Amino acid sequence: MGITIVLAVPVTAAWHGANGPSTVLLGVLLLWAFAWFDLNLSIAQAGLQPARYGILMAVRSGLSLVLGYCLVVFLDLDGYGVVLALLASTLVGAILGWRFNWRGVRPVWDPASNRRFAAYGLPLTGTFALGYFLDSGDRFMIAAFLNEAAVGPYAAAYDLPRQTLGTLMMVVHLAAYPMAVRAYEAGGATSAIDKIRETSTLQFAISVPTLVGLVLVSKDLIGVLFGEAFVAPGIQVMPIAALGVFVGCLCPYLLDMAYQLSGRTKYLIVSPIVGTVLNVGLNWIWIPMFGIVGAAWATLVSSLAAVVVSAFVGRRFLAISVDMRALAVIGLSALLMAAAVMMLPEGDGISTLVPRVLVGVAVYVTAAMLLNVAGARTALMVWRQTRAGSAR
């Protein structure tokens, strides 16, 4: 918090505009609130408390939506209303987190612990910063090389997979990571690797069909959610973007656990440096040549390079692997789903989107049960036997 204050002073001084100081102040306060809120989410995650995690998220999301609407519509605060709503709702969530986690806690200054925290955490900070640039830097370069109007269709086509596929992969990781930590602490590297193989199968069982579905119904989705003006550029970008989001999530939600569990976080920054440098270079070449499609390909290629580097370096500390047989079965189920969806008429409206989604889900679930993807059929049989036994 102290560092952000030091950084905020020159930014405020250099900001030429009437709203500079207030904007920086709101930004700093929002940063502090988000950091404290995320800390409480991490405590709930580490304690395997999904109900508490859900309560905190629901409070912030619901309150920010309602309060933001009121501030923007009734008080005409525009962008400031949105930021104030986010700040207020996050503070309310942080107060709940205080009641959950911090009552009776006394602060203690422990230099030895602080050094360990810094050695472990500072590389993560750099990694997250580079990851943010890898996710968002292409938009600034599109605006510079093309125009600001081109950023809108690109951002819409990219954020849709990020908010669906990326969120699903994050949710699985939120449950998988504390399990891997406990396995590592209890049984060492071998136990952690086995647990990661198990949870990664579930990760792929959810993310692979979602990826295939987004690619297949991209035209329908863009037409329904964003309108006709976004369809032409969106259908060019979204399939590449969906694959880019999937590949980009493999590092933070799978491969990076090798560094985090082993405590070798200082090596974690290697792969995002490679990805970021490659991303800037490819965007510099491809955006003028191919437009927003070039930016999408640049992100996909640079994300793939980061994954390869992360996997290669991380194996020195923890040899994370996936169940290739299970992955093949998941791929087969997704192909069956794709074949069924492709037989239905394609369009750009709700009348074609809904049937294609329902058929795709039905075919994948059926195939997953028949092929026992991620133990789905086994789990269903155990549930039925347990229910039958309780009924007697």
Side-chain angles (χ1 to χ4, degrees):
M1 292 170 70
I3 291 174
T4 57
I5 293 176
V6 173
L7 294 175
V9 172
V11 171
T12 304
W15 192 305
H16 299 290
N19 296 327
S22 59
T23 302
V24 174
L25 176 61
L26 280 175
V28 170
L29 292 176
L30 194 63
L31 175 65
W32 292 353
F34 267 63
W36 180 258
F37 185 84
D38 287 344
L39 179 60
N40 286 280
L41 290 181
S42 297
I43 293 174
Q45 178 191 1
L48 298 179
Q49 298 169 316
R52 182 170 296 180
Y53 191 102
I55 290 172
L56 292 174
M57 287 294 292
V59 167
R60 183 175 71 173
S61 301
L63 187 58
S64 63
L65 180 63
V66 174
L67 187 58
Y69 179 84
C70 293
L71 292 177
V72 171
V73 174
F74 299 118
L75 297 182
D76 197 25
L77 291 180
D78 296 327
Y80 278 105
V82 176
V83 176
L84 287 172
L86 280 172
L87 178 60
S89 59
T90 304
L91 288 174
V92 172
I95 292 171
L96 281 178
W98 179 275
R99 293 183 58 84
F100 287 150
N101 301 312
W102 302 95
R103 298 177 68 180
V105 174
R106 296 287 186 270
V108 175
W109 181 262
D110 184 353
S113 295
N114 292 341
R115 285 193 295 270
R116 291 199 301 272
F117 295 152
Y120 187 91
L122 287 177
L124 293 176
T125 303
T127 301
F128 294 152
L130 288 173
Y132 175 80
F133 185 84
L134 183 61
D135 287 339
S136 307
D138 48 5
R139 306 181 190 201
F140 294 98
M141 298 186 74
I142 289 172
F145 284 114
L146 302 178
N147 52 66
E148 293 183 1
V151 178
Y154 179 84
Y158 221 103
D159 284 344
L160 184 58
R162 191 192 312 279
Q163 299 300 332
T164 51
L165 174 61
T167 300
L168 286 174
M169 296 182 74
M170 179 189 69
V171 168
V172 176
H173 175 71
L174 289 174
Y177 181 69
M179 294 180 184
V181 171
R182 293 189 178 195
Y184 188 85
E185 292 174 344
T190 302
S191 179
I193 290 171
D194 291 340
K195 179 58 67 175
I196 292 172
R197 279 172 62 90
E198 177 186 333
T199 55
S200 66
T201 300
L202 176 61
Q203 180 75 272
F204 288 123
I206 294 174
S207 60
V208 169
T210 305
L211 167 64
V212 174
L214 284 171
V215 172
L216 291 174
V217 302
S218 57
K219 182 178 180 181
D220 308 81
L221 273 175
I222 293 171
V224 170
L225 297 178
F226 302 121
E228 186 176 350
F230 284 77
V231 172
I235 58 177
Q236 293 180 298
V237 172
M238 187 169 159
I240 308 169
L243 186 57
V245 169
F246 173 78
V247 172
C249 287
L250 293 179
C251 279
Y253 301 151
L254 178 62
L255 297 174
D256 286 356
M257 284 194 280
Y259 307 90
Q260 295 164 352
L261 294 177
S262 64
R264 307 295 184 89
T265 54
K266 64 182 180 180
Y267 297 97
L268 192 60
I269 201 168
V270 175
S271 60
I273 288 177
V274 172
T276 301
V277 171
L278 185 60
N279 182 259
V280 172
L282 292 177
N283 274 316
W284 195 278
I285 299 171
W286 287 351
I287 290 176
M289 294 176 61
F290 306 111
I292 60 175
V293 177
W297 277 111
T299 301
L300 172 58
V301 172
S302 57
S303 297
L304 185 60
V307 166
V308 172
V309 172
S310 180
F312 178 77
V313 177
R315 288 188 65 84
R316 297 169 53 193
F317 314 123
L318 195 69
I320 291 177
S321 62
V322 298
D323 189 337
M324 297 305 297
R325 182 181 178 277
L327 191 57
V329 173
I330 292 168
L332 177 59
S333 302
L335 284 176
L336 293 173
M337 178 193 76
V341 172
M342 290 174 67
M343 288 189 293
L344 298 176
E346 184 182 20
D348 55 3
I350 197 75
S351 60
T352 55
L353 174 62
V354 172
R356 300 184 90 203
V357 171
L358 293 178
V359 169
V361 171
V363 171
Y364 180 77
V365 170
T366 302
M369 287 295 177
L370 293 175
L371 298 174
N372 200 26
V373 170
R377 188 177 70 242
T378 303
L380 180 62
M381 293 173 61
V382 170
W383 176 78
R384 285 181 173 177
Q385 292 173 358
T386 303
R387 187 175 180 183
S390 61
R392 295 195 189 102

